[in-house]
Amino acid sequence: MAITKERRSLLVSMVMVFFFFNFHHLQVMSCPDPATTNCTDQDRKLLEFPLNLEYLEAEFFLFGALGFGLDKVAPNLTMGGPSPIGAQKANLDPLTRDIILQFAWQEVGHLRAIKKTVKGFARPQLDLSKKAFAKVMDKAFGVKFVPPFNPYANSYNYLIASYLVPYVGLTGYVGANPKLQCPASRKLVAGLLGVESGQDAVIRGMLYARASHIVYPYGVTVAAFTDKISDLRNKLGKAGVKDEGLVVPKFMGAEGQVIGNVLVGNEFSLSFDRTPEEILRIVYGSGNESVPGGFYPKGADGEIAKSYLVTVGSE
């Protein structure tokens, strides 16, 4: 049947309307309009913030395994930021060193991935000295260890110190993901979260295998160290229980069936989330996102972290 000129025009009009509507719909679905949702700016801030922790992890793992850090292996990534204070090579057994070296290069990759997406900022001043870690342990146990805890002394100490690091970043990525607007941002964070989760699982697994080992000379088990560190992070974060050690009361274990806690999760065995404010309270060791200290003596960088420092400075 011949199509009349009027019908042809009508069909063309309908097709054009269909494609216009669906193209517009796909645009909206792929990434919200930055003018109405602040997509680009909000994502940028949330993607830049984790650089603080990625810098810390990269330097701690590089120095622990190699005795040197980003200034030697990837100086361009530091953007001229100051070298870390007190970082040094750790006395590690071959297996632990091999694993930590893998973590180190993974962290370099994370820095590259984030900076490929957002401009980022220069490496902040980091304090990775024995004294900085000793303060954390003293605070966690409520006593002054003698001799002071030294993360670089041996593999046990280094793994316990490493317990401090990836998990905090992991919870930050879990918290950031639902706040991101663009698929590319969510994809990046999902990729980072996957590897950070893996690092945390390996560290916890290695420590779990040694849970009953008494850490010399403190007379405290590895499991007790993880309990105290987790308790401290919960206290500093001020947002309830989002951290658990390697051994927990049975009701806190997976489905209330086990006391082993090699992977930490909530009542549904899902990862806990943390906000940037909670993370700052923890890594500063002050319990206050506006009071720098701990591993960041001059404060963290990026708009989110600096907004709290500016507020204090203007009072």
Side-chain angles (χ1 to χ4, degrees):
M1 181 178 69
I3 299 176
T4 65
K5 183 176 181 181
E6 291 78 9
R7 286 185 176 182
R8 185 181 295 111
S9 298
L10 179 60
L11 285 171
V12 170
S13 299
M14 289 174 66
V15 169
M16 290 179 65
V17 169
F18 173 81
F19 277 107
F20 173 81
F21 173 80
N22 282 279
F23 178 72
H24 177 70
H25 179 67
L26 287 171
Q27 282 187 311
V28 172
M29 290 295 290
S30 65
C31 188
D33 181 4
T36 59
T37 65
N38 207 24
C39 170
T40 303
D41 193 50
Q42 175 172 295
D43 281 21
R44 176 184 59 78
K45 292 177 183 178
L46 289 169
L47 292 176
E48 281 186 338
F49 180 78
L51 282 171
N52 289 294
L53 295 174
E54 298 291 355
Y55 275 126
L56 187 152
E57 294 174 41
E59 295 290 12
F60 184 59
F61 291 144
L62 283 168
F63 269 96
L66 298 173
F68 49 82
L70 290 171
D71 287 331
K72 185 169 183 178
V73 305
N76 59 306
L77 293 178
T78 71
M79 297 173 67
S83 300
I85 300 167
Q88 64 183 75
K89 188 173 183 178
N91 180 27
L92 305 176
D93 63 74
L95 175 62
T96 303
R97 182 183 181 277
D98 178 26
I99 291 171
I100 295 304
L101 182 59
Q102 293 177 50
F103 288 177
W105 288 111
Q106 289 164 6
E107 296 305 329
V108 173
H110 289 181
L111 289 170
R112 293 188 194 281
I114 296 174
K115 287 171 178 269
K116 185 178 178 181
T117 306
V118 294
K119 182 180 180 181
F121 48 79
R123 174 183 55 194
Q125 181 67 75
L126 299 169
D127 186 352
L128 299 177
S129 65
K130 293 182 286 186
K131 185 177 180 181
F133 283 93
K135 284 182 178 179
V136 174
M137 297 307 173
D138 289 351
K139 196 165 191 174
F141 281 86
V143 296
K144 193 172 182 64
F145 277 162
V146 180
F149 182 85
N150 177 2
Y152 304 106
N154 53 62
S155 294
Y156 283 105
N157 285 23
Y158 192 84
L159 285 171
I160 289 170
S162 297
Y163 181 87
L164 288 166
V165 186
Y167 181 70
V168 176
L170 180 166
T171 57
Y173 285 132
V174 175
N177 196 51
K179 299 175 184 176
L180 295 168
Q181 300 297 317
C182 295
S185 301
R186 293 194 292 270
K187 181 179 179 181
L188 172 61
V189 166
L192 293 165
L193 175 59
V195 174
E196 292 291 329
S197 300
Q199 291 179 356
D200 183 62
V202 170
I203 291 168
R204 291 181 72 98
M206 294 177 75
L207 290 173
Y208 188 74
R210 302 162 171 81
S212 60
H213 174 80
I214 304 296
V215 181
Y216 179 83
Y218 308 114
V220 178
T221 65
V222 167
F225 264 96
T226 65
D227 288 341
K228 291 294 186 180
I229 292 169
S230 289
D231 288 345
L232 176 63
R233 289 193 294 213
N234 284 328
K235 180 180 178 182
L236 293 173
K238 298 180 179 179
V241 175
K242 296 188 176 183
D243 222 305
E244 298 169 351
L246 295 174
V247 179
V248 296
K250 191 172 182 180
F251 76 90
M252 293 179 66
E255 294 300 300
Q257 299 298 312
V258 291
I259 62 172
N261 201 39
V262 69
L263 294 180
V264 62
N266 64 13
E267 62 179 313
F268 303 110
S269 292
L270 302 177
S271 295
F272 290 103
D273 65 294
R274 282 192 171 108
T275 64
E277 293 77 14
E278 292 169 53
I279 290 172
L280 291 172
R281 294 168 199 156
I282 293 168
V283 298
Y284 287 172
S286 64
N288 187 330
E289 60 269 35
S290 298
V291 180
F295 299 118
Y296 299 86
K298 296 183 179 179
D301 209 335
E303 285 191 41
I304 294 175
K306 288 169 72 173
S307 68
Y308 293 102
L309 300 179
V310 169
T311 299
V312 170
S314 62
E315 289 179 350

